[in-house]
mmCIF file of all heavy atoms in Angstrom:
data_model
loop_
_atom_site.group_PDB
_atom_site.id
_atom_site.type_symbol
_atom_site.label_atom_id
_atom_site.label_comp_id
_atom_site.label_asym_id
_atom_site.label_seq_id
_atom_site.Cartn_x
_atom_site.Cartn_y
_atom_site.Cartn_z
ATOM 1 N N HIS A 522 391.420 108.943 158.510
ATOM 2 C CA HIS A 522 390.225 108.345 157.883
ATOM 3 C C HIS A 522 389.762 107.134 158.692
ATOM 4 O O HIS A 522 389.571 106.039 158.167
ATOM 5 C CB HIS A 522 390.508 107.930 156.431
ATOM 6 C CG HIS A 522 390.695 109.102 155.516
ATOM 7 N ND1 HIS A 522 390.782 108.975 154.143
ATOM 8 C CD2 HIS A 522 390.820 110.432 155.764
ATOM 9 C CE1 HIS A 522 390.940 110.183 153.604
ATOM 10 N NE2 HIS A 522 390.977 111.078 154.582
ATOM 11 N N SER A 523 389.600 107.357 159.987
ATOM 12 C CA SER A 523 389.306 106.240 160.890
ATOM 13 C C SER A 523 388.268 106.661 161.925
ATOM 14 O O SER A 523 387.650 107.720 161.809
ATOM 15 C CB SER A 523 390.590 105.811 161.605
ATOM 16 O OG SER A 523 391.060 106.886 162.428
ATOM 17 N N SER A 524 388.094 105.848 162.951
ATOM 18 C CA SER A 524 387.203 106.164 164.073
ATOM 19 C C SER A 524 388.021 106.429 165.325
ATOM 20 O O SER A 524 389.025 105.751 165.586
ATOM 21 C CB SER A 524 386.244 104.996 164.344
ATOM 22 O OG SER A 524 385.283 104.899 163.329
ATOM 23 N N THR A 525 387.590 107.439 166.072
ATOM 24 C CA THR A 525 388.212 107.735 167.362
ATOM 25 C C THR A 525 387.089 107.929 168.379
ATOM 26 O O THR A 525 385.919 108.071 168.007
ATOM 27 C CB THR A 525 389.068 109.018 167.289
ATOM 28 O OG1 THR A 525 388.228 110.105 166.866
ATOM 29 C CG2 THR A 525 390.221 108.863 166.321
ATOM 30 N N GLU A 526 387.468 107.936 169.647
ATOM 31 C CA GLU A 526 386.430 108.091 170.670
ATOM 32 C C GLU A 526 387.016 108.784 171.894
ATOM 33 O O GLU A 526 388.173 108.560 172.264
ATOM 34 C CB GLU A 526 385.860 106.726 171.062
ATOM 35 C CG GLU A 526 384.647 106.820 171.976
ATOM 36 C CD GLU A 526 383.939 105.480 172.144
ATOM 37 O OE1 GLU A 526 384.203 104.551 171.346
ATOM 38 O OE2 GLU A 526 383.120 105.366 173.081
ATOM 39 N N THR A 527 386.224 109.645 172.499
ATOM 40 C CA THR A 527 386.612 110.248 173.773
ATOM 41 C C THR A 527 385.355 110.639 174.536
ATOM 42 O O THR A 527 384.356 111.057 173.929
ATOM 43 C CB THR A 527 387.527 111.482 173.564
ATOM 44 O OG1 THR A 527 387.974 111.950 174.843
ATOM 45 C CG2 THR A 527 386.808 112.627 172.861
ATOM 46 N N HIS A 528 385.357 110.450 175.851
ATOM 47 C CA HIS A 528 384.253 110.841 176.725
ATOM 48 C C HIS A 528 382.901 110.282 176.255
ATOM 49 O O HIS A 528 381.861 110.926 176.383
ATOM 50 C CB HIS A 528 384.162 112.366 176.828
ATOM 51 C CG HIS A 528 385.339 112.994 177.509
ATOM 52 N ND1 HIS A 528 386.553 113.193 176.876
ATOM 53 C CD2 HIS A 528 385.492 113.471 178.767
ATOM 54 C CE1 HIS A 528 387.402 113.759 177.719
ATOM 55 N NE2 HIS A 528 386.791 113.936 178.878
ATOM 56 N N GLY A 529 382.935 109.078 175.679
ATOM 57 C CA GLY A 529 381.685 108.439 175.248
ATOM 58 C C GLY A 529 381.144 108.953 173.930
ATOM 59 O O GLY A 529 380.047 108.565 173.505
ATOM 60 N N ILE A 530 381.892 109.840 173.251
ATOM 61 C CA ILE A 530 381.476 110.373 171.956
ATOM 62 C C ILE A 530 382.391 109.780 170.887
ATOM 63 O O ILE A 530 383.623 109.827 171.008
ATOM 64 C CB ILE A 530 381.579 111.913 171.905
ATOM 65 C CG1 ILE A 530 380.917 112.555 173.132
ATOM 66 C CG2 ILE A 530 380.974 112.450 170.610
ATOM 67 C CD1 ILE A 530 379.434 112.345 173.241
ATOM 68 N N LYS A 531 381.792 109.247 169.831
ATOM 69 C CA LYS A 531 382.570 108.587 168.780
ATOM 70 C C LYS A 531 382.628 109.459 167.536
ATOM 71 O O LYS A 531 381.621 110.046 167.129
ATOM 72 C CB LYS A 531 381.933 107.235 168.437
ATOM 73 C CG LYS A 531 382.768 106.360 167.519
ATOM 74 C CD LYS A 531 382.105 104.991 167.331
ATOM 75 C CE LYS A 531 382.935 104.086 166.432
ATOM 76 N NZ LYS A 531 382.272 102.766 166.236
ATOM 77 N N PHE A 532 383.812 109.547 166.911
ATOM 78 C CA PHE A 532 384.007 110.329 165.696
ATOM 79 C C PHE A 532 384.467 109.387 164.591
ATOM 80 O O PHE A 532 385.459 108.674 164.757
ATOM 81 C CB PHE A 532 385.038 111.439 165.921
ATOM 82 C CG PHE A 532 384.688 112.339 167.077
ATOM 83 C CD1 PHE A 532 385.163 112.066 168.364
ATOM 84 C CD2 PHE A 532 383.855 113.431 166.899
ATOM 85 C CE1 PHE A 532 384.828 112.885 169.435
ATOM 86 C CE2 PHE A 532 383.510 114.252 167.962
ATOM 87 C CZ PHE A 532 383.988 113.971 169.230
ATOM 88 N N THR A 533 383.747 109.401 163.465
ATOM 89 C CA THR A 533 384.042 108.462 162.386
ATOM 90 C C THR A 533 384.129 109.184 161.053
ATOM 91 O O THR A 533 383.212 109.932 160.678
ATOM 92 C CB THR A 533 382.942 107.374 162.282
ATOM 93 O OG1 THR A 533 382.793 106.738 163.546
ATOM 94 C CG2 THR A 533 383.281 106.349 161.220
ATOM 95 N N TRP A 534 385.244 108.971 160.337
ATOM 96 C CA TRP A 534 385.367 109.484 158.970
ATOM 97 C C TRP A 534 384.886 108.393 158.028
ATOM 98 O O TRP A 534 385.315 107.243 158.105
ATOM 99 C CB TRP A 534 386.827 109.834 158.670
ATOM 100 C CG TRP A 534 386.992 110.530 157.341
ATOM 101 C CD1 TRP A 534 387.051 111.870 157.128
ATOM 102 C CD2 TRP A 534 387.128 109.917 156.045
ATOM 103 N NE1 TRP A 534 387.202 112.144 155.790
ATOM 104 C CE2 TRP A 534 387.249 110.959 155.092
ATOM 105 C CE3 TRP A 534 387.135 108.596 155.591
ATOM 106 C CZ2 TRP A 534 387.390 110.718 153.726
ATOM 107 C CZ3 TRP A 534 387.268 108.354 154.228
ATOM 108 C CH2 TRP A 534 387.403 109.407 153.315
ATOM 109 N N ARG A 535 383.962 108.766 157.135
ATOM 110 C CA ARG A 535 383.455 107.794 156.160
ATOM 111 C C ARG A 535 382.964 108.525 154.919
ATOM 112 O O ARG A 535 382.195 109.474 155.022
ATOM 113 C CB ARG A 535 382.311 106.971 156.767
ATOM 114 C CG ARG A 535 381.711 105.929 155.824
ATOM 115 C CD ARG A 535 380.495 105.279 156.436
ATOM 116 N NE ARG A 535 379.758 104.494 155.450
ATOM 117 C CZ ARG A 535 378.501 104.112 155.578
ATOM 118 N NH1 ARG A 535 377.835 104.430 156.681
ATOM 119 N NH2 ARG A 535 377.907 103.424 154.634
ATOM 120 N N SER A 536 383.419 108.090 153.769
ATOM 121 C CA SER A 536 382.959 108.632 152.478
ATOM 122 C C SER A 536 383.036 110.152 152.424
ATOM 123 O O SER A 536 382.119 110.821 151.937
ATOM 124 C CB SER A 536 381.514 108.181 152.201
ATOM 125 O OG SER A 536 381.406 106.783 152.194
ATOM 126 N N GLY A 537 384.138 110.700 152.949
ATOM 127 C CA GLY A 537 384.327 112.142 152.878
ATOM 128 C C GLY A 537 383.461 112.924 153.842
ATOM 129 O O GLY A 537 383.216 114.116 153.634
ATOM 130 N N MET A 538 382.992 112.271 154.903
ATOM 131 C CA MET A 538 382.171 112.942 155.914
ATOM 132 C C MET A 538 382.641 112.542 157.303
ATOM 133 O O MET A 538 383.160 111.446 157.500
ATOM 134 C CB MET A 538 380.689 112.579 155.739
ATOM 135 C CG MET A 538 380.060 113.165 154.491
ATOM 136 S SD MET A 538 378.328 112.695 154.280
ATOM 137 C CE MET A 538 378.508 111.037 153.633
#
Side-chain angles (χ1 to χ4, degrees):
H522 290 189
S523 64
S524 288
T525 58
E526 188 169 345
T527 185
H528 294 78
I530 311 295
K531 189 175 181 181
F532 305 92
T533 305
W534 187 95
R535 180 187 168 199
S536 302
M538 291 179 281

